[in-house]
Coordinates of all heavy atoms in Angstrom, one line a residue:
K1 N 3.2 -6.5 12.4 CA 4.1 -5.6 11.6 C 3.6 -5.5 10.2 O 2.9 -6.4 9.7 CB 5.5 -6.1 11.7 CG 6.1 -6.1 13.0 CD 7.6 -6.3 13.0 CE 8.2 -6.1 14.3 NZ 9.6 -6.0 14.3
G2 N 3.9 -4.4 9.6 CA 3.5 -4.2 8.2 C 2.2 -3.4 8.0 O 2.0 -3.0 6.9
S3 N 1.4 -3.4 8.9 CA 0.1 -2.7 8.7 C 0.3 -1.2 9.4 O 1.1 -1.1 10.2 CB -1.1 -3.3 9.3 OG -0.9 -3.5 10.7
A4 N -0.6 -0.3 8.9 CA -0.4 1.1 9.4 C -0.8 1.1 10.9 O -1.8 0.6 11.3 CB -1.3 1.9 8.6
R5 N -0.1 1.9 11.7 CA -0.3 2.0 13.1 C -1.4 3.2 13.2 O -2.1 3.3 14.2 CB 0.9 2.4 13.9 CG 1.9 1.2 13.8 CD 1.3 0.0 14.6 NE 2.5 -1.0 14.7 CZ 2.2 -2.3 14.4 NH1 1.0 -2.7 13.9 NH2 3.2 -3.2 14.5
A6 N -1.3 4.2 12.2 CA -2.3 5.3 12.2 C -2.3 5.8 10.8 O -1.4 5.7 10.0 CB -1.8 6.3 13.2
W7 N -3.4 6.4 10.5 CA -3.5 7.2 9.1 C -4.6 8.2 9.3 O -5.4 8.1 10.1 CB -3.7 6.2 7.9 CG -5.0 5.4 8.0 CD1 -5.1 4.1 8.5 CD2 -6.3 5.8 7.6 NE1 -6.4 3.7 8.3 CE2 -7.2 4.7 7.8 CE3 -6.9 7.0 7.1 CZ2 -8.5 4.8 7.5 CZ3 -8.2 7.0 6.7 CH2 -9.1 6.0 7.0
V8 N -4.5 9.2 8.4 CA -5.4 10.3 8.5 C -5.5 11.1 7.1 O -4.5 11.1 6.4 CB -5.1 11.3 9.6 CG1 -3.8 12.1 9.3 CG2 -6.3 12.4 9.8
Q9 N -6.7 11.6 6.8 CA -6.9 12.5 5.7 C -7.6 13.6 6.3 O -8.7 13.5 6.8 CB -7.7 11.8 4.6 CG -8.0 12.7 3.3 CD -9.1 12.3 2.5 OE1 -10.2 12.4 2.8 NE2 -8.7 11.7 1.4
F10 N -7.1 14.8 6.0 CA -7.8 16.0 6.6 C -7.7 17.3 5.7 O -6.9 17.3 4.9 CB -7.1 16.4 8.0 CG -5.7 16.8 8.1 CD1 -5.4 18.2 8.0 CD2 -4.7 15.9 8.1 CE1 -4.1 18.6 8.1 CE2 -3.4 16.3 8.2 CZ -3.1 17.6 8.2
I11 N -8.6 18.3 6.0 CA -8.6 19.4 5.3 C -7.6 20.4 5.9 O -7.6 20.7 7.1 CB -10.0 20.0 5.3 CG1 -11.0 19.1 4.6 CG2 -10.0 21.4 4.6 CD1 -12.5 19.4 4.9
G12 N -6.7 21.0 5.1 CA -5.6 21.8 5.6 C -6.1 23.1 6.3 O -5.5 23.5 7.3
S13 N -7.0 23.8 5.7 CA -7.4 25.1 6.3 C -8.1 25.1 7.5 O -8.1 26.0 8.4 CB -8.3 25.9 5.2 OG -9.4 25.1 5.0
S14 N -8.8 23.9 7.8 CA -9.6 23.8 9.0 C -9.1 22.7 10.0 O -9.6 22.6 11.1 CB -11.0 23.6 8.7 OG -11.3 22.3 7.9
A15 N -8.3 21.8 9.5 CA -7.7 20.7 10.2 C -9.0 19.7 10.6 O -8.9 18.9 11.5 CB -7.1 21.0 11.5
V16 N -10.0 19.7 9.7 CA -11.1 18.8 9.9 C -10.7 17.5 9.3 O -10.3 17.4 8.1 CB -12.4 19.3 9.3 CG1 -13.5 18.3 9.2 CG2 -13.0 20.6 10.0
I17 N -10.9 16.4 10.1 CA -10.6 15.1 9.6 C -11.7 14.5 8.8 O -12.8 14.5 9.3 CB -10.2 14.2 10.8 CG1 -9.0 14.7 11.7 CG2 -10.0 12.8 10.4 CD1 -8.8 13.9 12.9
N18 N -11.4 14.1 7.7 CA -12.3 13.4 6.7 C -12.5 11.9 7.1 O -13.5 11.4 7.1 CB -11.9 13.5 5.2 CG -12.0 15.0 4.8 OD1 -12.9 15.7 5.2 ND2 -11.2 15.3 3.9
A19 N -11.3 11.3 7.4 CA -11.3 9.9 7.7 C -9.9 9.6 8.5 O -8.9 10.3 8.2 CB -11.4 8.9 6.5
S20 N -10.0 8.6 9.3 CA -8.7 8.3 10.1 C -8.8 7.0 10.8 O -9.8 6.4 11.0 CB -8.5 9.4 11.1 OG -9.4 9.4 12.2
Y21 N -7.6 6.6 11.2 CA -7.4 5.4 12.1 C -6.4 5.8 13.2 O -5.2 6.1 12.8 CB -7.1 4.1 11.3 CG -6.7 3.0 12.2 CD1 -7.6 2.3 13.0 CD2 -5.4 2.6 12.3 CE1 -7.1 1.3 13.8 CE2 -4.9 1.7 13.1 CZ -5.8 0.9 13.9 OH -5.5 -0.1 14.7
N22 N -6.7 5.6 14.4 CA -5.8 5.9 15.5 C -5.3 7.3 15.5 O -4.2 7.7 16.0 CB -4.6 4.9 15.6 CG -4.0 4.9 16.9 OD1 -4.6 5.2 18.0 ND2 -2.7 4.6 16.9
V23 N -6.0 8.3 14.9 CA -5.7 9.7 15.0 C -7.0 10.4 15.7 O -8.0 10.3 15.2 CB -5.4 10.3 13.7 CG1 -5.3 11.8 13.6 CG2 -4.2 9.7 13.0
S24 N -6.6 11.0 16.9 CA -7.7 11.6 17.7 C -8.1 13.0 17.1 O -9.2 13.4 17.1 CB -7.4 11.7 19.1 OG -6.2 12.5 19.3
S25 N -7.1 13.8 16.7 CA -7.2 15.1 16.2 C -6.0 15.6 15.5 O -5.0 15.1 15.5 CB -7.6 16.0 17.4 OG -6.4 16.1 18.2
I26 N -6.3 16.7 14.7 CA -5.2 17.5 14.1 C -5.3 18.8 14.7 O -6.3 19.6 14.8 CB -5.5 17.6 12.6 CG1 -5.6 16.2 11.8 CG2 -4.4 18.4 11.9 CD1 -4.4 15.4 11.9
T27 N -4.0 19.4 15.1 CA -4.0 20.6 15.6 C -3.3 21.5 14.5 O -2.2 21.2 14.1 CB -3.1 20.8 16.9 OG1 -3.7 19.7 17.8 CG2 -3.0 22.2 17.5
R28 N -4.1 22.6 14.0 CA -3.5 23.5 13.1 C -2.7 24.6 13.9 O -3.4 25.4 14.5 CB -4.6 24.1 12.2 CG -4.1 25.0 11.2 CD -5.2 25.5 10.3 NE -4.7 26.4 9.2 CZ -4.7 27.7 9.4 NH1 -5.0 28.3 10.5 NH2 -4.2 28.5 8.4
L29 N -1.4 24.6 13.9 CA -0.6 25.5 14.6 C -0.6 26.8 13.9 O -0.5 28.0 14.7 CB 0.8 25.0 14.8 CG 0.8 23.7 15.6 CD1 2.3 23.2 15.5 CD2 0.4 23.7 16.9
S30 N -0.5 26.9 12.6 CA -0.6 28.1 11.9 C -0.8 27.6 10.4 O -0.8 26.4 10.2 CB 0.7 28.9 12.0 OG 1.8 28.2 11.5
A31 N -0.9 28.5 9.5 CA -1.0 28.1 8.0 C 0.1 27.1 7.6 O 1.3 27.5 7.9 CB -1.0 29.3 7.1
G32 N -0.3 26.0 7.2 CA 0.7 25.0 6.7 C 1.3 24.2 7.9 O 2.3 23.4 7.6
Q33 N 1.1 24.5 9.2 CA 1.7 23.7 10.2 C 0.7 22.9 11.0 O -0.3 23.5 11.6 CB 2.4 24.7 11.1 CG 3.7 25.2 10.5 CD 4.6 25.9 11.6 OE1 4.2 26.8 12.1 NE2 5.8 25.4 11.8
Y34 N 0.9 21.6 11.2 CA -0.1 20.8 11.8 C 0.6 19.8 12.8 O 1.8 19.4 12.5 CB -0.9 19.9 10.8 CG -1.3 20.7 9.6 CD1 -0.6 20.7 8.5 CD2 -2.5 21.5 9.6 CE1 -1.0 21.5 7.3 CE2 -2.9 22.2 8.6 CZ -2.2 22.3 7.4 OH -2.6 22.9 6.3
E35 N 0.0 19.5 13.9 CA 0.3 18.3 14.7 C -0.7 17.2 14.6 O -2.0 17.4 14.6 CB 0.4 18.7 16.1 CG 1.6 19.5 16.5 CD 1.7 19.7 18.0 OE1 0.6 19.6 18.7 OE2 2.8 20.2 18.4
V36 N -0.3 16.0 14.2 CA -1.1 14.9 14.2 C -1.1 14.2 15.6 O 0.0 13.7 16.0 CB -0.7 13.8 13.1 CG1 -1.4 12.6 13.0 CG2 -0.6 14.6 11.7
N37 N -2.2 14.0 16.3 CA -2.2 13.5 17.6 C -2.9 12.0 17.5 O -3.9 11.8 17.0 CB -3.2 14.3 18.4 CG -2.6 15.8 18.5 OD1 -1.6 16.0 19.0 ND2 -3.4 16.7 17.9
F38 N -2.1 11.2 18.1 CA -2.6 9.7 18.2 C -3.7 9.5 19.2 O -3.6 10.0 20.4 CB -1.4 8.7 18.3 CG -0.4 8.8 17.3 CD1 0.9 8.9 17.7 CD2 -0.7 8.7 16.0 CE1 2.0 9.1 16.8 CE2 0.3 8.8 15.0 CZ 1.6 9.0 15.4
T39 N -4.7 8.6 18.9 CA -5.7 8.2 19.9 C -5.0 7.3 20.9 O -5.1 7.6 22.1 CB -6.8 7.4 19.2 OG1 -7.3 8.2 18.1 CG2 -7.9 7.0 20.1
N40 N -4.3 6.3 20.4 CA -3.5 5.4 21.4 C -2.0 5.6 21.1 O -1.5 5.5 19.9 CB -3.8 4.0 21.1 CG -5.3 3.7 21.3 OD1 -5.8 4.0 22.5 ND2 -6.0 3.2 20.4
A41 N -1.3 5.8 22.2 CA 0.2 6.1 22.0 C 0.8 4.9 21.4 O 0.5 3.8 21.6 CB 0.7 6.4 23.4
L42 N 1.9 5.2 20.5 CA 2.6 4.1 19.9 C 3.7 3.6 20.9 O 4.0 4.3 22.0 CB 3.4 4.6 18.7 CG 2.5 5.2 17.7 CD1 3.2 5.7 16.4 CD2 1.3 4.1 17.2
A43 N 4.3 2.5 20.7 CA 5.2 1.8 21.7 C 6.4 2.7 21.9 O 6.9 2.8 22.9 CB 5.5 0.5 21.2
D44 N 6.8 3.3 20.8 CA 8.1 4.2 20.8 C 7.9 5.1 19.6 O 7.0 5.1 18.8 CB 9.4 3.3 20.8 CG 9.5 2.3 19.6 OD1 9.1 2.8 18.5 OD2 9.9 1.2 19.8
A45 N 9.0 5.9 19.4 CA 9.0 7.0 18.3 C 9.8 6.5 17.1 O 10.0 7.3 16.3 CB 9.5 8.3 18.9
N46 N 10.0 5.1 17.0 CA 10.7 4.6 15.9 C 9.7 4.2 14.8 O 9.7 3.0 14.5 CB 11.6 3.5 16.4 CG 12.7 3.9 17.4 OD1 13.2 5.1 17.3 ND2 12.9 3.1 18.4
Y47 N 9.1 5.2 14.2 CA 8.2 4.8 13.1 C 8.5 5.7 11.9 O 9.2 6.6 12.0 CB 6.8 5.1 13.6 CG 6.4 6.4 14.2 CD1 6.2 7.5 13.4 CD2 6.4 6.6 15.6 CE1 5.8 8.7 13.9 CE2 6.1 7.9 16.1 CZ 5.8 8.9 15.4 OH 5.5 10.1 15.9
A48 N 7.8 5.3 10.8 CA 7.9 6.1 9.6 C 6.6 6.7 9.2 O 5.7 6.1 9.3 CB 8.4 5.1 8.4
A49 N 6.7 8.0 9.1 CA 5.3 8.7 8.6 C 5.6 9.0 7.1 O 6.4 9.7 6.6 CB 5.2 9.9 9.4
I50 N 4.5 8.6 6.3 CA 4.5 8.8 5.0 C 3.4 9.9 4.7 O 2.3 9.7 5.2 CB 4.0 7.4 4.2 CG1 4.9 6.2 4.7 CG2 4.1 7.7 2.6 CD1 6.3 6.5 4.5
L51 N 3.8 10.9 3.9 CA 2.9 12.1 3.8 C 2.5 12.3 2.3 O 3.2 11.9 1.4 CB 3.7 13.3 4.2 CG 4.4 13.3 5.7 CD1 5.1 14.5 5.9 CD2 3.3 13.0 6.6
G52 N 1.4 12.9 2.1 CA 0.8 13.3 0.9 C -0.1 14.4 1.0 O -0.6 14.9 2.0
M53 N -0.3 15.2 -0.2 CA -1.2 16.3 -0.1 C -1.7 16.6 -1.6 O -1.1 16.2 -2.5 CB -0.6 17.5 0.4 CG 0.5 18.3 -0.5 SD 1.0 19.7 0.3 CE 1.9 20.4 -1.1
V54 N -2.8 17.3 -1.6 CA -3.3 17.9 -2.8 C -3.0 19.3 -2.7 O -3.4 20.0 -1.8 CB -4.8 17.7 -2.9 CG1 -5.4 18.5 -4.0 CG2 -5.2 16.3 -3.0
P55 N -2.2 19.9 -3.6 CA -1.7 21.3 -3.6 C -2.8 22.2 -3.9 O -3.7 21.8 -4.6 CB -0.5 21.4 -4.7 CG -0.8 20.3 -5.6 CD -1.6 19.2 -4.9
G56 N -2.8 23.4 -3.3 CA -3.8 24.4 -3.5 C -3.2 25.6 -4.3 O -2.0 25.6 -4.6
S57 N -4.0 26.6 -4.5 CA -3.6 27.8 -5.3 C -2.5 28.6 -4.5 O -1.7 29.2 -5.2 CB -4.7 28.7 -5.5 OG -5.3 29.1 -4.3
A58 N -2.5 28.4 -3.2 CA -1.4 29.2 -2.4 C 0.0 28.4 -2.4 O 1.0 28.9 -2.0 CB -1.9 29.3 -0.9
I59 N -0.1 27.2 -2.9 CA 1.1 26.4 -3.0 C 1.4 26.2 -4.5 O 0.6 25.9 -5.2 CB 0.9 25.0 -2.3 CG1 0.6 25.3 -0.9 CG2 2.2 24.2 -2.5 CD1 0.3 24.0 -0.1
N60 N 2.7 26.5 -4.8 CA 3.1 26.2 -6.2 C 2.7 24.8 -6.6 O 3.4 23.9 -6.2 CB 4.5 26.6 -6.4 CG 5.1 26.4 -7.8 OD1 4.4 25.7 -8.6 ND2 6.2 27.1 -8.1
P61 N 1.8 24.6 -7.6 CA 1.5 23.1 -7.8 C 2.6 22.4 -8.6 O 2.5 21.2 -8.5 CB 0.2 23.3 -8.8 CG 0.2 24.7 -9.3 CD 1.0 25.5 -8.2
S62 N 3.4 23.1 -9.2 CA 4.5 22.4 -9.8 C 5.6 21.9 -9.0 O 6.4 20.9 -9.2 CB 5.1 23.2 -10.9 OG 5.8 24.4 -10.3
R63 N 5.7 22.4 -7.7 CA 6.7 22.0 -6.8 C 6.1 22.0 -5.3 O 6.8 22.6 -4.4 CB 7.9 23.0 -6.8 CG 8.5 23.0 -8.2 CD 9.7 24.0 -8.3 NE 10.7 23.4 -7.4 CZ 11.8 24.1 -7.0 NH1 12.0 25.3 -7.5 NH2 12.7 23.6 -6.2
P64 N 5.0 21.3 -5.1 CA 4.5 21.3 -3.7 C 5.5 20.4 -2.8 O 6.1 19.5 -3.3 CB 3.2 20.7 -3.8 CG 3.3 19.9 -5.0 CD 4.2 20.6 -6.0
M65 N 5.6 20.8 -1.6 CA 6.5 20.0 -0.7 C 5.7 19.8 0.6 O 5.0 20.6 1.2 CB 7.8 20.9 -0.4 CG 8.5 21.1 -1.6 SD 9.3 19.7 -2.4 CE 10.5 19.2 -1.2
L66 N 6.0 18.6 1.2 CA 5.6 18.2 2.5 C 6.9 18.0 3.3 O 7.9 17.5 2.9 CB 4.8 17.0 2.5 CG 3.4 17.1 2.0 CD1 2.8 15.7 1.8 CD2 2.5 17.8 3.1
K67 N 6.8 18.1 4.6 CA 8.0 17.7 5.4 C 7.5 17.3 6.8 O 6.4 17.9 7.2 CB 9.0 18.8 5.5 CG 8.5 20.2 6.3 CD 9.6 21.1 6.5 CE 9.1 22.3 7.3 NZ 10.1 23.2 7.8
I68 N 8.2 16.6 7.5 CA 8.1 16.4 8.8 C 8.7 17.6 9.6 O 9.8 18.0 9.4 CB 8.7 15.1 9.4 CG1 8.2 13.9 8.8 CG2 8.6 15.0 11.0 CD1 6.7 13.6 9.1
D69 N 7.8 18.4 10.3 CA 8.3 19.6 10.8 C 9.4 19.4 11.8 O 9.2 18.8 12.8 CB 7.1 20.4 11.5 CG 7.4 21.7 11.9 OD1 8.4 22.2 11.8 OD2 6.4 22.4 12.3
G70 N 10.5 20.1 11.6 CA 11.7 19.9 12.4 C 11.5 20.5 13.8 O 12.2 20.2 14.8
T71 N 10.5 21.3 14.0 CA 10.3 21.9 15.4 C 9.6 20.9 16.2 O 9.6 21.1 17.4 CB 9.5 23.2 15.3 OG1 8.2 22.9 14.7 CG2 10.1 24.2 14.4
G72 N 8.9 19.9 15.7 CA 8.3 18.9 16.5 C 8.7 17.5 16.3 O 8.3 16.9 15.2
A73 N 9.6 17.0 17.1 CA 10.2 15.6 16.8 C 9.1 14.6 16.9 O 8.1 14.9 17.6 CB 11.3 15.4 17.6
Y74 N 9.3 13.4 16.4 CA 8.5 12.4 16.5 C 8.4 12.1 18.0 O 9.3 12.2 18.7 CB 9.1 11.1 15.9 CG 8.9 10.9 14.4 CD1 8.5 11.9 13.6 CD2 9.2 9.7 13.9 CE1 8.5 11.7 12.2 CE2 9.1 9.5 12.4 CZ 8.8 10.5 11.7 OH 8.7 10.4 10.3
S75 N 7.2 11.7 18.4 CA 6.9 11.3 19.9 C 5.9 10.1 19.8 O 5.5 9.8 18.7 CB 6.5 12.4 20.8 OG 5.0 12.6 20.6
T76 N 5.7 9.6 20.9 CA 4.8 8.4 20.9 C 3.3 8.8 20.8 O 2.4 8.0 20.6 CB 5.0 7.5 22.3 OG1 4.7 8.4 23.3 CG2 6.3 7.0 22.3
T77 N 3.1 10.1 21.0 CA 1.7 10.7 21.0 C 1.3 11.5 19.8 O 0.3 11.9 19.6 CB 1.3 11.4 22.2 OG1 2.3 12.5 22.4 CG2 1.4 10.4 23.4
K78 N 2.4 12.1 19.1 CA 2.1 12.9 18.0 C 3.3 13.3 17.2 O 4.5 12.9 17.6 CB 1.6 14.3 18.5 CG 2.6 15.0 19.4 CD 2.1 16.3 19.9 CE 3.1 17.1 20.8 NZ 2.6 18.3 21.4
F79 N 3.1 13.8 16.0 CA 4.2 14.3 15.2 C 3.6 15.5 14.3 O 2.4 15.7 14.4 CB 4.8 13.2 14.2 CG 3.9 12.8 13.1 CD1 4.0 13.3 11.8 CD2 2.9 11.8 13.4 CE1 3.1 13.0 10.9 CE2 2.0 11.4 12.3 CZ 2.2 12.0 11.1
S80 N 4.6 16.3 13.9 CA 4.2 17.6 13.1 C 4.4 17.4 11.7 O 5.4 16.7 11.2 CB 5.0 18.7 13.7 OG 4.8 18.9 15.1
I81 N 3.7 18.1 10.8 CA 3.7 18.1 9.5 C 3.7 19.7 9.0 O 3.1 20.4 9.6 CB 2.5 17.6 8.8 CG1 2.3 16.0 9.1 CG2 2.5 17.7 7.2 CD1 1.1 15.4 8.6
G82 N 4.5 20.0 7.9 CA 4.5 21.3 7.4 C 4.2 21.1 5.9 O 4.7 20.2 5.2
T83 N 3.4 22.0 5.4 CA 3.1 22.0 3.9 C 3.6 23.5 3.4 O 3.2 24.5 4.0 CB 1.6 21.8 3.6 OG1 0.8 22.8 4.2 CG2 1.2 20.4 4.0
W84 N 4.5 23.4 2.5 CA 5.1 24.7 2.0 C 5.4 24.7 0.6 O 5.5 23.5 0.0 CB 6.3 25.1 2.9 CG 7.3 24.0 2.9 CD1 7.4 22.8 3.6 CD2 8.6 24.1 2.2 NE1 8.5 22.2 3.4 CE2 9.3 22.9 2.5 CE3 9.2 25.1 1.5 CZ2 10.5 22.6 2.1 CZ3 10.5 24.7 0.9 CH2 11.2 23.5 1.2
S85 N 5.8 25.7 0.0 CA 6.3 25.8 -1.4 C 7.8 26.2 -1.4 O 8.1 27.3 -0.9 CB 5.4 26.8 -2.1 OG 6.1 27.1 -3.4
P86 N 8.6 25.5 -2.0 CA 10.1 25.8 -2.0 C 10.2 27.2 -2.8 O 11.3 27.8 -2.7 CB 10.7 24.7 -2.7 CG 9.7 24.0 -3.3 CD 8.4 24.2 -2.6
T87 N 9.3 27.4 -3.7 CA 9.5 28.6 -4.6 C 9.3 29.9 -3.8 O 10.0 30.9 -3.9 CB 8.3 28.6 -5.7 OG1 8.4 27.4 -6.4 CG2 8.5 29.8 -6.6
T88 N 8.5 29.9 -2.8 CA 8.2 31.1 -1.9 C 8.8 30.9 -0.5 O 8.9 31.8 0.2 CB 6.7 31.4 -1.8 OG1 6.0 30.3 -1.1 CG2 6.1 31.7 -3.2
T89 N 9.1 29.6 -0.2 CA 9.4 29.2 1.2 C 8.5 29.7 2.3 O 8.9 30.0 3.4 CB 10.9 29.8 1.5 OG1 10.9 31.2 1.6 CG2 11.9 29.2 0.5
V90 N 7.2 29.7 1.8 CA 6.2 30.1 2.9 C 5.3 29.0 3.1 O 4.9 28.3 2.2 CB 5.3 31.3 2.3 CG1 4.2 31.7 3.2 CG2 6.2 32.5 2.1
L91 N 5.1 28.7 4.4 CA 4.1 27.6 4.7 C 2.7 28.1 4.3 O 2.4 29.3 4.4 CB 4.0 27.4 6.3 CG 5.3 26.7 6.7 CD1 5.5 26.9 8.3 CD2 5.2 25.2 6.5
A92 N 1.9 27.1 3.7 CA 0.6 27.3 3.3 C -0.3 26.1 3.4 O 0.2 25.0 3.3 CB 0.6 27.8 1.8
D93 N -1.5 26.4 3.7 CA -2.5 25.2 3.8 C -2.7 24.5 2.5 O -2.8 25.2 1.4 CB -3.8 25.7 4.3 CG -3.8 26.3 5.7 OD1 -3.0 25.7 6.6 OD2 -4.5 27.1 6.1
A94 N -2.7 23.3 2.6 CA -3.2 22.4 1.3 C -4.6 22.1 1.5 O -5.1 21.9 2.6 CB -2.3 21.2 1.3
P95 N -5.3 22.0 0.4 CA -6.7 21.5 0.6 C -7.0 20.3 1.2 O -7.8 20.1 2.0 CB -7.2 21.5 -1.0 CG -6.3 22.4 -1.7 CD -5.0 22.3 -1.0
M96 N -6.1 19.3 0.9 CA -6.1 18.0 1.7 C -4.7 17.5 1.9 O -3.8 17.5 1.1 CB -6.9 16.9 0.8 CG -7.0 15.6 1.4 SD -8.0 14.4 0.5 CE -7.4 14.5 -1.2
V97 N -4.6 16.9 3.2 CA -3.3 16.3 3.6 C -3.5 15.0 4.1 O -4.5 14.7 4.7 CB -2.7 17.1 4.7 CG1 -1.4 16.7 5.2 CG2 -2.5 18.7 4.3
T98 N -2.6 14.1 3.7 CA -2.7 12.7 4.2 C -1.4 12.3 4.8 O -0.3 12.7 4.6 CB -3.1 11.7 3.0 OG1 -1.9 11.7 2.1 CG2 -4.3 12.0 2.4
A99 N -1.6 11.4 5.9 CA -0.4 10.8 6.5 C -0.7 9.4 7.0 O -1.8 9.1 7.4 CB 0.0 11.6 7.7
A100 N 0.3 8.5 6.8 CA 0.2 7.1 7.4 C 1.4 6.9 8.1 O 2.5 7.2 7.8 CB 0.0 6.2 6.2
V101 N 1.3 6.2 9.3 CA 2.4 5.8 10.1 C 2.6 4.3 10.1 O 1.7 3.5 10.4 CB 2.1 6.3 11.5 CG1 3.2 5.9 12.5 CG2 2.0 7.9 11.6
F102 N 3.8 3.9 9.9 CA 4.2 2.5 9.9 C 5.3 2.2 10.8 O 6.1 3.0 11.1 CB 4.5 2.0 8.5 CG 3.5 2.0 7.5 CD1 3.3 3.2 6.8 CD2 2.7 1.0 7.2 CE1 2.3 3.2 5.8 CE2 1.7 1.0 6.3 CZ 1.5 2.1 5.5
R103 N 5.3 1.0 11.5 CA 6.3 0.6 12.4 C 6.4 -0.9 12.3 O 5.5 -1.6 12.4 CB 6.0 1.0 13.8 CG 7.2 0.6 14.7 CD 7.1 1.1 16.1 NE 8.3 0.8 16.8 CZ 8.7 -0.4 17.1 NH1 8.2 -1.5 16.4 NH2 9.8 -0.6 17.8

C-alpha cells in the first residue's frame, strides 16, 4: 500500500505515451477525452486517480480543468479523463497529461 499502482505521462493530441508504469495504452476518444488502459487489471475499482496537465493554447491557461470523465466509470482495467476549459466548456487536448493511480 502507498505506492502507485499505475502512472502515465502522455501527449494529448496524439495519445503517445512518454513514460508509464502499468499503463498499456491511451485511447483518444475525441479532443480532450481519453481512456487510460491498465496493463494488469487492478484488484477492484476502489482507487484514487490523481490528474495533472500542461495547458495549451486551446485551453484557457488561467483556468485549465481536468476531470474524471463521468461517461466512463472507474473499472479494474481502465478509467477516463477529460481535459476542458470552464470558460468555453469545450473539451480540448492538452500538450501533456499525467495521471497516477493509488490504492
Side-chain angles (χ1 to χ4, degrees):
K1 291 192 178 195
S3 60
R5 300 291 187 228
W7 60 264
V8 66
Q9 179 195 81
F10 66 94
I11 299 167
S13 61
S14 62
V16 169
I17 295 173
N18 292 326
S20 69
Y21 168 72
N22 198 29
V23 172
S24 60
S25 64
I26 303 295
T27 304
R28 184 178 177 270
L29 303 171
S30 65
Q33 285 189 299
Y34 315 96
E35 282 183 345
V36 177
N37 303 292
F38 300 128
T39 303
N40 298 302
L42 302 182
D44 56 43
N46 298 323
Y47 53 84
I50 312 303
L51 309 175
M53 74 174 193
V54 173
S57 60
I59 299 173
N60 181 337
S62 64
R63 299 182 66 192
M65 299 294 289
L66 282 167
K67 67 175 182 167
I68 297 295
D69 188 354
T71 61
Y74 281 11
S75 81
T76 59
T77 59
K78 66 183 176 183
F79 68 96
S80 299
I81 297 174
T83 58
W84 59 286
S85 169
T87 306
T88 63
T89 66
V90 174
L91 287 160
D93 291 329
M96 183 174 45
V97 181
T98 61
V101 172
F102 293 89
R103 182 173 186 303

